[in-house]
Amino acid sequence: MKIFFCFVFFGLSYSGAIAQTSDFQYTNVPLDKILLGIETSYDVKFSYNPTLVDGVSVTLSRSNTSLESLINELQKQTEIIFEKIDDRYYILKKNTLITVCGYVRDSNGNIPLQGASIVDVKDRSLGTISDEKGYFDFGEAHKADTLFITYLGYEPLILPVDKIKRQECGTYHMVLANFVLNEVVVQEYMVSGMVKSKDGGIVIDPLQMDLLSGQSEPDVLQSIQLLPGIESPTETASGLYVRGGVPDQNLILLDGIKMYNYGHFFGLISAFNPYITDNVKIYRSGTKPQYGDRVSGVIDIETDSKIPKKTQGGFGLNMINVDGFLKVPISKKLGFFLSARRSFTDFLQTPTYNNFSDRVFQNTGIDANNNNLGGDASGAEERFYFSDVNFKVILQVSESDKFTFSNFYTSNQLDYSLDFDQMDTPFSYDLNIENIGANARWNKKWNTNVSSTAQFYYSQYDLKYENSNPFVEERFVPQKTNNIKEVGCSLHTDWILKRGLTLSGGYQFFNNQVQYELSNSMFDESSNNNNPTYALYAQLNFEKERKWYFDIGFRSNFYGAVNEFVLEPRAYIEKVISDSFRVKGTLELKNQAVSHIIEFATADFGLENQVWALANEFMVPVLQSQQFSGGFLVNKKGWNIDVDAYYKDIVGLTSLVSGFENTNEIFTFGESTSLGLDVLIKKKWRNYSSWLGYTHARTDFEFDGLNNGKPFRGNNDIAHSLTWSHFYKWKNLQFSLGWKYRTGIPNTSAKAVQNQDGIYEIVFNDVNALTLPDYHRLDFSMAYDFALSKKDASTKGKIGFSLLNLYNKKNILNRNYLHTFALDEIGTNGEITPVDQLSLGFTPNIVLRFSF
């Protein structure tokens, strides 16, 4: 009996202890017993499966605490969720969710990485980005999930959620990827997917890049026009003027192949497929000596060279074209990529196509004929389309040997005809432009310090324009052909001498065979020449961490066509003043043997009005340029400020004089001088960023046979240019808005003067003495990403929408006086009504894409 009373007393004492509302002091006590005490103390009921709490013990030390505080503590110590049904009843469930947060930093300098993407591998629509401190808050994730952390220029991080400690925001270090520009100064230069490297270049990953205004999907050449110092006065993707240079003076490479035609729809659309592009490097100045034979900017495009682990692909369509791509692994060491695109404009005309067509064909014979159908004209037929194909094979021979073979094909075709009654010959335009190329490349890593790249490439460009006009003698009808065949090879080696000191160098050989033939009522000119070119180059890269950065080198060229040897020094120097401020400077001398002869208005068909010509000892000189620049860079607390002043002088310019419209000579030669200031100011606030790009510049031309030998404003002189862009991301929606403003380009006015025979002739006034009205437009874009399968995160879709020239501003791109005019249109003082070329009007576009 005494033993019985002892047990009863002990039981009452234990129950009393549990019932204490002001004191919960337990060390490693089974959870079910603590739950029983809480139920008694707070008059609540817990419903749960007994197996859920089997073997679960808890340690508590709480006095005068609330029920909510107790439950929070129990949830922290266990993987159990207390789900409240009402004020009295709770259901206990196993917790499979973990709140994930952390800091993303560079593994070298422990620098916060702003703009890193953190996404769920299974559902890519779930994700976030890191802020200026590298901090991210993903929210809750299932323990079975895996997170994927990516950042341009760094190896991706795979993060299993079940390895993350509860209630801790860990630090996750990312390692720089092994690619050429592996050192970056600004992690997010304008948007995510765009970085500024230490050598002064800009690197873009199109598939990682945020949505830009006016684009429903990535476009490499349209994207870089947002950079200060890069203009496109003609609104085209391919008409890029880099710091006073003209489009043909830019070196554009695709997998090491020189491109001579890189636009579709007469330049309005880029010919490069962004869905197989790995990275794009842009240099406005401070070019490395390995880049030669062009005197202005460099755009180096590399397609993906990684063998995929599984078959990947995608396809899409917009209101102009359809496209698709495949990435296929044949084995662990062999794979291939294939992409293709074709417009459907030859059998379906959408509103987007109609706007593009109005922009391209205005003030041409096509436009005039279409507007005057009827009477004697009938049966107008217009067939226009473009296409491009890319193919690449990757063979990983060994860990230190990789072989790749890539080729491309682009084509633009226009066939137009119009029949006239009682005429045997129709009025017709036939224009065909093709560019093909191939590259075989071998990468060899000899040891940890020495690596080499050898390559062989071929590029061919063909342009053929034929015109028939039943009202004009055949010998006066404009005709044009232009052909380039280029073959080349190179060997490049990088040798790391010691930490912070690298020697690079190589040899290049290429041969150009260039032919052109131009004829119309004013002249008949042709040429067919070869130019073997030999080049040696070397560069020394020195970096003293957080103090100095040098790229100093030279390039020597021997041009066989003119029997000329030239030496080109190159330098990029950067001084680090502090972690957030640095100053920089560049100098470079360049030469170019193949360039455009600018036609301007030599014919009534100005769709493709440039012809490639090769330098020779008699007519076309080698272009020579020198450029200097200097500025500073600030990168602090989400602010990026990049300021660069530059001077560029180019001699050896060649033009058909009719482009300047005031002399009877066929060719004239001269030089251009450009002075400018480029400014970029960008700020990011979590999911919203805004940047302002501004350029103040002056470009002057000077030709012996024009303007009495005095300088005059260059045809591409734009005094002020400003771009204000905005980007916002909300979940899987992206929005972008951008406003573009620039002052008008120069123009030469004209009047009609009656000669001694009583015939009116056009006489031009001072060259480029007038300025066209200012240009401005507003563009908008929106994109929505969605998952097609909850089980397969790689199967997804995208809808994109863009509006160009939102308020339908009728900007004047060009003005001329060479079209036929009637006597009754001549004013009392000889005034002539000019013909204006207008910009693209309000233009919508929609894109739908799927990938797997």
Side-chain angles (χ1 to χ4, degrees), residues 754-811:
Q754 198 170 19
N755 62 20
Q756 295 177 350
D757 299 325
I759 299 174
Y760 280 96
E761 295 179 345
I762 296 178
V763 175
F764 292 92
N765 299 316
D766 293 341
V767 178
N768 288 344
L770 300 181
T771 302
L772 294 178
D774 292 352
Y775 172 103
H776 56 89
R777 81 181 201 191
L778 182 68
D779 298 331
F780 172 77
S781 295
M782 181 178 70
Y784 174 72
D785 297 294
F786 56 92
L788 295 174
S789 171
K790 293 184 178 180
K791 295 182 180 180
D792 186 3
S794 63
T795 305
K796 52 190 176 181
K798 176 183 178 180
I799 298 176
F801 177 68
S802 66
L803 295 172
L804 297 176
N805 199 354
L806 204 59
Y807 47 78
N808 198 30
K809 177 71 167 63
K810 297 186 183 301
N811 295 293

Side-chain angles (χ1 to χ4, degrees), residues 278-469:
D278 186 32
N279 67 77
V280 182
K281 305 169 212 169
I282 301 107
Y283 295 92
R284 292 168 290 181
S285 60
T287 311
K288 292 177 177 293
Q290 70 194 67
Y291 298 112
D293 202 37
R294 294 295 187 271
V295 295
S296 195
V298 173
I299 302 170
D300 189 357
I301 302 170
E302 290 288 336
T303 58
D304 199 348
S305 293
K306 298 181 289 293
I307 300 173
K309 293 183 179 180
K310 64 177 184 177
T311 299
Q312 303 172 18
F315 60 93
L317 75 159
N318 56 37
M319 298 179 73
I320 294 290
N321 60 262
V322 296
D323 75 279
F325 72 92
L326 272 176
K327 300 180 179 182
V328 180
I330 298 174
S331 68
K332 290 184 178 180
K333 292 187 175 183
L334 180 64
F336 73 87
F337 301 157
L338 175 65
S339 72
R341 173 169 49 173
R342 191 190 190 282
S343 67
F344 46 75
T345 51
D346 50 335
F347 58 85
L348 178 64
Q349 284 79 47
T350 64
T352 304
Y353 168 79
N354 291 333
N355 281 15
F356 279 16
S357 180
D358 291 343
R359 156 68 179 81
V360 170
F361 298 136
Q362 63 179 305
N363 302 331
T364 66
I366 291 178
D367 184 39
N369 289 331
N370 288 341
N371 290 333
N372 293 284
L373 284 177
D376 295 333
S378 63
E381 294 184 4
E382 179 183 324
R383 184 171 182 262
F384 169 74
Y385 66 92
F386 63 78
S387 60
D388 59 66
V389 179
N390 292 79
F391 178 71
K392 188 169 188 176
V393 177
I394 306 104
L395 175 62
Q396 189 72 51
V397 181
S398 66
E399 289 186 3
S400 58
D401 293 89
K402 177 186 279 189
F403 174 80
T404 60
F405 173 79
S406 59
N407 66 359
F408 72 88
Y409 168 79
T410 68
S411 174
N412 288 266
Q413 181 76 43
L414 171 67
D415 300 312
Y416 176 87
S417 66
L418 179 67
D419 293 326
F420 286 89
D421 297 342
Q422 301 177 349
M423 291 286 181
D424 295 331
T425 304
F427 188 96
S428 69
Y429 288 126
D430 293 304
L431 177 66
N432 184 37
I433 305 170
E434 292 184 348
N435 200 175
I436 63 174
N439 176 285
R441 180 182 294 175
W442 171 61
N443 296 94
K444 172 68 176 179
K445 191 170 184 179
W446 303 99
N447 53 50
T448 56
N449 294 328
V450 183
S451 59
S452 297
T453 300
Q455 61 181 351
F456 172 86
Y457 76 89
Y458 175 78
S459 183
Q460 179 174 325
Y461 168 77
D462 294 290
L463 179 147
K464 186 176 183 180
Y465 165 60
E466 294 180 341
N467 177 213
S468 67
N469 189 330

Side-chain angles (χ1 to χ4, degrees), residues 481-496:
T481 62
N482 194 195
N483 309 103
I484 300 175
K485 293 181 180 179
E486 180 171 322
V487 61
C489 61
S490 66
L491 176 64
H492 176 88
T493 298
D494 293 311
W495 182 14
I496 301 175

Side-chain angles (χ1 to χ4, degrees), residues 235 252 374 398 443 488 491 529 544 610 743 785:
E235 286 190 326
I252 298 185
S398 66
N443 296 94
L491 176 64
N529 293 304
K544 192 169 185 180
Q610 289 90 21
T743 51
D785 297 294

